[in-house]
Amino acid sequence: MTNPLLTTPSWTALAAHVATAKTLHLRDLFAADPRRFDTFSIRADGLLLDYSKQRVTAETMRRLRDLWATADVSGWVGRLRSGETINHTEHRAVLHHALRHQGKDPILFDGHDVMPDVRRVLDHVKSFCDAIHGRHWRGATGEPITDIVNIGIGGSDLGPRMASQALTANRHRDVKVHYVANLDGADLAMILADLQPRTTLFIVASKTFTTQETMQNARSARAWLVAALGEVAVERHFVAVSTNLEEVAAFGIDTVNAFEFWDWVGGRFSLWSAIGLPLALSIGFDNFARLLAGGAAMDRHFFETPVESNLPATLALLDLWNTNFLGAETHAVLPYSQSLGLLPRYLQQLEMESNGKQVGRDGQSVGHATSPVLWGEPGTNGQHAFYQLLHQGGRLIPCDFIAAAHADFDLPGHHEKLLANCFAQSEALMRGKTLAEAEAELAAVPLAPTFLAPYKVFPGNQPTSTLILPSIDPYTLGQLIALYEQKTFALGVLWNLNAFDQWGVEYGKQLASRLLPIIEGKQPTTGLDSSTTGLIAACREGK
Ligand code: F6P
């Protein structure tokens, strides 16, 4: 069966409505309604979402909200919150919201309150931060730690890496945190080149503690340390974050220095757990706690606010509208903030690993498009690279612009220009420029080459949302991340997907382990396809 939502009157009504919606131009919608911004914007807890530049009318939003009710998203929110095993293919609950929960009430999983465990690990993170920042934790030679290297990949890397960069303004002065993810030895080697074993601490971050990239990097880091300081140094220079304490111990890390988390935390939702340890070390525990509070505030907003003024719900419905009805295949995230430069990369895992799927909860194809390809770069850099295509490439590419009202690094003359560019881009994408306008512009310039008019036409009508944060700080970053997390969850429900598994990453891993002994020359290439055989041969010749 396809996604059951497809055959409901709510979906059918949207399918009928889209024919009219496609004939509308945003320029005309704005001209016809001076209050369009008021109608299509939401303010919540300091954030502003302006979706007036999306290709929607009041009727579109009414019908989308009707779909929300039909899909019973609130029922799924209830299942999520009550610890049901909604990740049915891995038989796991999904409780990452417990990691940032601020209330005194319990969060139950299997009849057991998870909050005491959550608080115990948070206390451990706090005391470790205190020990490092207070210079009580010393390396094997008695020197304090100045550099922390987080070794992890995917969810054990992207979240803390993105957030550490986003919160550079809050960085702890005495400790520098580095991130290594890639299996390519260049990643680790380039970081280690500037570090001293005596003052370096490694965090091996892996939910499973079996991930090939992480374990290879961890072994190489260990060898680098042992070569300088001997085997005895490992316990003062390695800590771990994992759900698999047995493997942590097997690696030689004292489990006293292991920070635990649980199966009910998905990798890409794990920033709030001990996976956030490098972030807490980078910005200090109090700031990490503010991030958790921001995430919790967004959860409350998502759980309790009616769909009309619910930020994650609105973003989810707009994504669905753009993807399934207007036909968008990609989605650009454009932060007008250098600090949020890694946000698109982080969201790629969050959204594409969660909802880049075709098989629905019933094991059958859902029968429609799911996650768009998410991409993006910070503005204004992107303006000088790919915005040409956004404006005149003829493709429908919905964009999220994200900006902060106040700069985190307030150099005079920068922030106003940054905002001017951000708002100018969304205005241009909305309004476009007609041939008549282009001709009039040229006519106003003496001797202007009039043949240029068609090159200066901008179709406009490109759907965009703009999210304004008061500033980029730990609390607002927590809100922002949880906003996209809850949007992703909601889209999974609407698309009838399990947003919490990732079977699509398995096949490549399986083939890589089969190829390794062949590339190492321990097994013959017999049985491989001609391309793979040819590629292996080319690398052998190149050696
Ligand atoms: O291969 C994908 C993945 O499983 C991600 O979902 C996860 O975040 C990443 O690998 C890292 O996994 P681990 O934390 O177990 O090393």
Side-chain angles (χ1 to χ4, degrees):
M1 193 170 76
T2 52
N3 180 354
L5 208 54
L6 288 182
T7 51
T8 62
S10 312
W11 190 283
T12 316
L14 277 161
H17 168 69
V18 75
T20 323
K22 278 184 173 169
T23 64
L24 303 173
H25 196 291
L26 281 166
R27 189 194 311 125
D28 304 324
L29 294 175
F30 271 91
D33 178 8
R35 296 180 58 83
R36 187 169 166 84
F37 169 80
D38 300 331
T39 312
F40 299 104
S41 61
I42 300 173
R43 284 175 196 274
D45 195 13
L47 305 183
L48 165 74
L49 172 68
D50 170 17
Y51 63 100
S52 59
K53 296 189 187 102
Q54 290 285 345
R55 286 169 58 179
V56 294
T57 61
E59 184 186 347
T60 320
M61 293 313 297
R62 203 173 49 248
R63 294 194 181 285
L64 284 169
R65 288 167 190 150
D66 191 47
L67 191 74
W68 180 267
T70 306
D72 188 27
V73 183
S74 353
W76 281 95
V77 168
R79 273 166 229 149
L80 172 94
R81 297 181 74 184
S82 63
E84 270 187 41
T85 49
I86 61 170
N87 175 357
H88 71 294
T89 57
E90 297 180 313
H91 200 66
R92 288 178 186 164
V94 178
L95 286 173
H96 51 268
H97 57 274
L99 300 164
R100 55 205 185 210
H101 181 56
Q102 306 284 301
K104 296 235 176 326
D105 44 319
I107 294 193
L108 298 179
F109 169 57
D110 250 355
H112 155 86
D113 180 12
V114 300
M115 289 314 297
D117 281 343
V118 169
R119 293 194 188 102
R120 175 177 51 77
V121 175
L122 275 177
D123 284 347
H124 191 187
V125 169
K126 180 178 181 338
S127 58
F128 192 69
C129 287
D130 290 345
I132 293 285
H133 294 148
R135 308 174 131 224
H136 310 307
W137 179 285
R138 300 278 166 148
T141 60
E143 288 167 80
I145 298 298
T146 57
D147 292 273
I148 313 265
V149 182
N150 189 73
I151 299 178
I153 198 163
S156 301
D157 166 73
L158 289 164
R161 187 196 286 260
M162 176 276 290
S164 295
Q165 179 171 311
L167 301 174
T168 304
N170 301 78
R171 202 174 69 198
H172 197 279
R173 274 167 295 124
D174 301 335
V175 171
K176 203 155 180 235
V177 179
H178 314 264
Y179 291 88
V180 171
N182 203 323
L183 187 52
D184 183 348
D187 198 5
L188 180 66
M190 284 196 271
I191 299 281
L192 295 185
D194 294 329
L195 303 184
Q196 296 298 330
R198 301 183 324 272
T199 51
T200 300
L201 179 111
F202 294 95
I203 301 171
V204 186
S206 173
K207 181 174 169 179
T208 53
F209 227 74
T210 56
T211 303
Q212 187 187 42
E213 293 90 334
T214 301
M215 298 327 296
Q216 182 59 50
N217 278 322
R219 281 192 294 273
S220 299
R222 194 183 198 281
W224 175 81
L225 181 90
V226 168
L229 302 177
E231 207 47 57
V232 65
V234 173
E235 71 171 79
R236 300 307 296 168
H237 292 263
F238 272 86
V239 301
V241 182
S242 188
T243 58
N244 188 349
L245 298 185
E246 255 175 55
E247 284 297 325
V248 170
F251 182 84
I253 296 176
D254 189 342
T255 47
V256 171
N257 300 321
F259 298 78
E260 188 190 351
F261 67 116
W262 308 273
D263 264 357
W264 43 261
V265 184
R268 54 194 172 273
F269 300 87
S270 63
L271 162 70
W272 322 90
S273 71
I275 287 290
L277 177 65
L279 172 64
L281 286 163
S282 171
I283 60 172
F285 185 82
D286 290 349
N287 280 325
F288 184 66
R290 286 185 194 105
L291 177 103
L292 299 183
M298 182 53 69
D299 289 341
R300 279 196 304 278
H301 166 85
F302 177 59
F303 296 155
E304 293 164 13
T305 310
V307 61
E308 294 75 27
S309 39
N310 191 308
L311 294 170
T314 303
L315 286 185
L317 290 172
L318 292 169
D319 264 23
L320 179 132
W321 171 246
N322 287 329
T323 304
N324 299 116
F325 293 96
L326 295 182
E329 293 191 333
T330 83
H331 182 137
V333 175
L334 309 168
Y336 273 66
S337 156
Q338 186 61 24
S339 303
L340 291 178
L342 294 177
L343 185 70
R345 239 204 262 177
Y346 169 77
L347 293 180
Q348 280 179 333
Q349 187 196 16
L350 176 63
E351 300 204 20
M352 291 159 77
E353 196 168 80
S354 296
N355 290 328
K357 297 166 187 168
Q358 277 295 296
V359 175
R361 290 198 152 266
D362 54 2
Q364 308 290 314
S365 168
V366 289
H368 55 71
T370 56
S371 177
V373 177
L374 191 147
W375 58 285
E377 273 291 312
T380 56
N381 305 17
Q383 290 176 204
H384 301 273
F386 55 80
Y387 278 39
Q388 163 65 39
L389 184 148
L390 294 180
H391 287 292
Q392 293 186 316
R395 289 176 195 273
L396 179 75
I397 304 182
C399 309
D400 288 0
F401 287 93
I402 302 171
H406 299 284
D408 44 354
F409 291 90
D410 202 5
L411 297 187
H414 285 250
H415 201 62
E416 296 74 11
K417 292 188 184 90
L418 185 68
L419 292 179
N421 273 279
C422 177
F423 304 156
Q425 290 298 328
S426 73
E427 185 186 343
L429 289 167
M430 174 273 282
R431 185 186 302 284
K433 193 188 282 183
T434 62
L435 182 62
E437 285 167 340
E439 284 169 347
E441 247 178 45
L442 286 167
V445 181
L447 302 177
T450 49
F451 82 93
L452 283 181
Y455 297 95
K456 290 176 167 276
V457 170
F458 289 68
N461 215 19
Q462 193 77 285
T464 71
S465 297
T466 302
L467 185 70
I468 305 287
L469 281 56
S471 59
I472 296 181
D473 59 50
Y475 184 87
T476 59
L477 184 69
Q479 290 176 295
L480 179 68
I481 300 169
L483 165 61
Y484 277 94
E485 278 188 2
Q486 299 297 14
K487 175 195 104 166
T488 302
F489 159 71
L491 270 169
V493 172
L494 291 162
W495 284 331
N496 197 34
L497 299 170
N498 173 4
F500 302 104
D501 61 12
Q502 56 284 317
W503 298 104
V505 300
E506 295 303 323
Y507 191 33
K509 290 186 192 172
Q510 213 181 319
L511 293 190
S513 21
R514 197 196 54 168
L515 288 179
L516 181 60
I518 301 173
I519 291 174
E520 287 174 334
K522 294 178 186 159
Q523 279 177 23
T525 53
T526 30
L528 298 181
D529 63 77
S530 63
S531 166
T532 310
T533 309
L535 294 169
I536 293 174
C539 286
R540 281 202 186 130
E541 283 157 22
K543 274 196 174 173

